Amino acid sequence: MKMKKFVSIGLVAVSVLALAACGSKKETKKDTQDDKVLVMATNAEFPPYEYHDGDKIVGIDAEIAEAVAEKLGMELKIEDMAFDSIIAAVSGGKADFGAAGMTVNEEREKMVAFTDTYAHASQVIIVKTDSAIAGPDDLEGKKVGVQLGTTGDIYAGDIKDAEVERYNKGFEAVQALSQGKIDAVVIDGQPAKELIADMSDLKILDEAFTEEEYAIIVAKDNTELKDKINEALKELKESGKLDEIIAKYITAQ
């Protein structure tokens, strides 16, 4: 809270103190954006959910967010950032919501609120084609690569005696695997397919590491926005628009 300062030494001194006080105020999204702008925090390194296409961010989450913003009568602005910065941006008020293939789990629910789920996914294991690793149990004691802050990062910590290597981007973990620096990568299923599409030396194991659900995150006290997004998602589901968006990016599920 900004403290009031009472002075009697003239208008100039008062102005200086006022400017100093303003400078100490924590900047939020509302300080920099119009009320009709809905700011989405994401990490555009997660195809097909969000990725760069030229100078534009596209993907499942981006299109769903556009559809939600349209139903709310607002303009969408997407802010690209590191995945592990998204929760802080939303809870700190620098973004209205986050959408980045965000898995619902108890740890995140302590910091933010989740909307209704809009997609189901799984964490998969990527290995080299000649690897002896055949399933989750075989990861014990292995060197496992993950993207920092993702669900794979959270769950990989439960693998007995595993050495978890964290990377800022999923493709960096996949490259490390291809180069023999790590034994496996744990990452979301659909992005995994995109990441190894042109890499004949890597494969995805048939047995999933975990099953999960994706939802949008908002600040814990922003129940009004959460309710509005849930209503928009409900309408998108009932109209078939949600399935249409997902099918556009995922042809085989």
Side-chain angles (χ1 to χ4, degrees), residues 104-199:
V104 179
N105 63 42
E106 291 182 1
E107 183 176 334
R108 289 172 178 155
E109 285 178 326
K110 295 174 183 176
M111 299 176 281
V112 291
F114 282 95
T115 65
D116 294 338
T117 59
Y118 62 86
H120 297 270
S122 61
Q123 291 289 310
V124 300
I125 303 168
I126 305 174
V127 297
K128 301 202 81 169
T129 52
D130 59 354
S131 174
I133 297 172
D137 291 342
D138 297 327
L139 294 176
E140 181 177 334
K142 296 296 192 294
K143 189 176 287 188
V144 180
V146 297
Q147 183 180 357
L148 182 67
T150 61
T151 306
D153 184 1
I154 293 170
Y155 289 130
D158 295 331
I159 303 170
K160 185 178 179 181
D161 298 328
E163 183 180 342
V164 181
E165 295 286 339
R166 295 173 171 85
Y167 300 86
N168 288 322
K169 299 177 181 179
F171 82 85
E172 293 174 352
V174 170
Q175 284 181 330
L177 174 61
S178 183
Q179 294 165 2
K181 296 178 180 178
I182 55 178
D183 301 306
V185 172
V186 174
I187 197 168
D188 293 65
Q190 290 302 329
K193 294 177 184 178
E194 300 276 347
L195 289 168
I196 71 164
D198 298 320
M199 305 183 77

Side-chain angles (χ1 to χ4, degrees), residues 39-46 50-52 57 77-83 85-86 100 169:
V39 178
M40 163 183 161
T42 194
N43 173 238
E45 302 287 347
F46 197 63
E50 42 268 320
Y51 58 96
H52 291 278
I57 295 174
K77 180 179 180 181
I78 301 177
E79 295 283 358
D80 187 20
M81 61 188 68
F83 187 88
S85 297
I86 295 172
K169 299 177 181 179

Side-chain angles (χ1 to χ4, degrees), residues 10 16 24 64 76 99 126 130 158-159 173 183 190 205 208 229 231:
V16 170
S24 66
I64 290 174
L76 179 70
I126 305 174
D130 59 354
D158 295 331
I159 303 170
D183 301 306
Q190 290 302 329
L205 298 183
I229 292 176
E231 183 60 33

Side-chain angles (χ1 to χ4, degrees), residues 210-242:
T210 63
E211 299 291 338
E212 57 200 313
E213 295 182 325
Y214 289 163
I216 292 168
I217 62 169
V218 299
K220 286 185 78 70
D221 60 352
N222 200 347
T223 54
E224 181 181 358
L225 179 60
K226 176 183 172 181
D227 290 344
K228 287 180 178 179
I229 292 176
N230 279 338
E231 183 60 33
L233 288 173
K234 180 182 177 183
E235 292 176 8
L236 291 171
K237 289 175 183 176
E238 291 175 348
S239 68
K241 180 66 175 179
L242 188 64

